[in-house]
Amino acid sequence: MNTAMSKEELEKILDQAVQDVTECTAGVRLRQGTQSPGEDLCTVQITFDRGFRTSLTLCADTGLLKRMASNSFHEEIVSQEDLEEFSKEYFNVLCGRIAGAMFRATQVPAHFGPPVFYRGRYEPEGREIQFILTYSDECCQGAQLIHHVPCSGEDGDISEED
């Protein structure tokens, strides 16, 4: 994703997908801001293993993810298992939307592995941050969508490999 289009174009695609998918699937409006998530965090991560050699990480306040899961499941109380399941499914839908938008923009088909959920902050090995989009909701809870590329010297370009 890092060489197929400008960073600004990619940021716009990611931002639109985050806002649309979050509102449609969880009934929460996120807006870009500067407030980073707090200390009680969860992270969901995927790696594009075909088409692009990048990864995306969503690091969010646990309270925000619980509220999103609660809205989605129409349940007041959300178990840890429900939180993890919702977070992975939400991120899968988000990344599917991003992959579709990227295909329309570049004509490069992409594939990503299943989302992986972590308690706390997770940083993928062998990757460096290209940019971070920071969001907050109306309750001042935050999330960051982080675009990672392979560390300098590794191939991060578009690939036609399987």
Side-chain angles (χ1 to χ4, degrees):
M1 273 189 253
N2 53 322
T3 58
M5 63 175 48
S6 74
K7 179 178 164 241
E8 292 75 22
E9 290 172 307
L10 180 56
E11 285 178 355
K12 184 176 179 182
I13 286 173
L14 297 179
D15 177 54
Q16 191 65 56
V18 166
Q19 291 189 42
D20 291 350
V21 170
T22 304
E23 189 164 355
C24 288
T25 63
V28 173
R29 287 186 174 199
L30 294 178
R31 295 293 177 247
Q32 281 200 44
T34 58
Q35 180 178 335
S36 296
E39 297 294 317
D40 184 13
L41 303 171
C42 294
T43 303
V44 191
Q45 190 266 337
I46 62 98
T47 299
F48 284 87
D49 54 15
R50 187 174 28 195
F52 304 102
R53 298 288 184 222
T54 63
S55 62
L56 289 172
T57 303
L58 178 74
C59 186
D61 284 319
T62 301
L64 174 61
L65 290 174
K66 281 183 178 179
R67 188 161 64 88
M68 290 168 58
S70 177
N71 289 351
S72 181
F73 295 153
H74 305 287
E75 298 284 337
E76 284 190 42
I77 306 293
V78 177
S79 70
Q80 182 61 35
E81 293 78 22
D82 288 342
L83 175 66
E84 181 174 339
E85 193 59 37
F86 167 79
S87 298
K88 291 190 297 190
E89 185 58 31
Y90 161 78
F91 204 54
N92 192 55
V93 171
L94 176 62
C95 292
R97 174 77 62 94
I98 290 167
M102 292 299 300
F103 178 76
R104 287 188 295 281
T106 65
Q107 299 304 301
V108 174
H111 179 268
F112 54 90
V116 182
F117 179 86
Y118 302 92
R119 292 286 300 168
R121 185 176 290 276
Y122 172 79
E123 298 281 336
E125 290 184 30
R127 304 282 172 158
E128 60 190 19
I129 295 171
Q130 184 183 37
F131 62 82
I132 300 173
L133 300 177
T134 301
Y135 297 91
S136 63
D137 68 355
E138 63 276 5
C139 300
C140 296
Q141 293 178 316
Q144 291 180 322
L145 184 65
I146 305 164
H147 182 248
H148 292 94
V149 295
C151 288
S152 299
E154 295 184 30
D155 180 21
D157 293 341
I158 295 173
S159 171
E160 296 302 324
E161 301 171 11
D162 294 318

